[in-house]
Amino acid sequence: MSTLTPRDVPAAARVLADALAHDPGYTYLFPSAARRPRELHALYRMTLSDAVRYGQVFATRQPQGTVTGVVAVYPPGAYPMGVGRWCRQAVRVAQLALHAREHARALARFGDLTSQGVPADAWYVEAAGVRPDLQRQGRGKALFAAVHRAVGGDGAYLETTKPENVGYYRALGYAPVRDRVALGGQDGPWIVPMRRATGVR
């Protein structure tokens, strides 16, 4: 386990883009399968470049140092980004808007829905993923173990739009904290907010 450096951001963003390419939320937000990898890579380059500065980003690696899994977490009060941090991301925001084009409005709504739900007293797990060919080998659990060590007795909060992940996160100590939120109307996909209780280590 290691922490991510700014130099690692492009490779780590690729890991997340590949890991989350079939997530229901992202297949809705980025409907073009051909463009989705590029769009997600742009999104996570922006996210991770902010998180390495204002939060903590943990990574699993192969022996030669190649990033294989990533989790980004913000301490209480560090998310969502303020105006100054958005300005520092101006170039990446423009690149993302160019990639996203016709569905930029839905992406902005997704950002609003998630940022409004983050509890002020909780650490926010903003992104997590493992390279698809290396999943189900314990890397995800190792990443969350690093998060929970960093969080200590404070609570941690996350969202998922993948129904299969709800049980996975329950096994890590998380539980739904509010009704699920419709991202794309009553047919879904649905955002499921979950929190790990304070005092759990």
Side-chain angles (χ1 to χ4, degrees), residues 12-98:
R14 175 58 56 204
V15 168
L16 288 175
D18 291 344
L20 300 172
H22 301 293
D23 184 281
Y26 286 134
T27 58
Y28 171 77
L29 293 169
F30 302 112
S32 169
R35 285 167 38 192
R36 194 179 307 130
R38 185 171 68 253
E39 292 167 336
L40 284 175
H41 189 250
L43 173 66
Y44 281 114
R45 284 195 69 167
M46 181 180 73
T47 297
L48 293 176
S49 65
D50 182 75
V52 296
R53 185 169 182 176
Y54 297 100
Q56 295 189 51
V57 186
F58 301 101
T60 55
R61 300 175 186 268
Q62 291 179 321
Q64 68 271 32
T66 303
V67 175
T68 59
V70 186
V71 61
V73 59
Y74 285 101
Y79 187 91
M81 292 190 292
V83 174
R85 282 159 63 188
W86 277 114
C87 289
R88 279 189 284 272
Q89 294 283 357
V91 173
R92 290 189 174 93
V93 170
Q95 290 172 339
L96 179 59
L98 177 64

Side-chain angles (χ1 to χ4, degrees), residues 93-109:
V93 170
Q95 290 172 339
L96 179 59
L98 177 64
H99 289 310
R101 292 197 290 278
E102 70 272 14
H103 40 280
R105 183 175 296 180
L107 185 60
R109 179 172 179 269

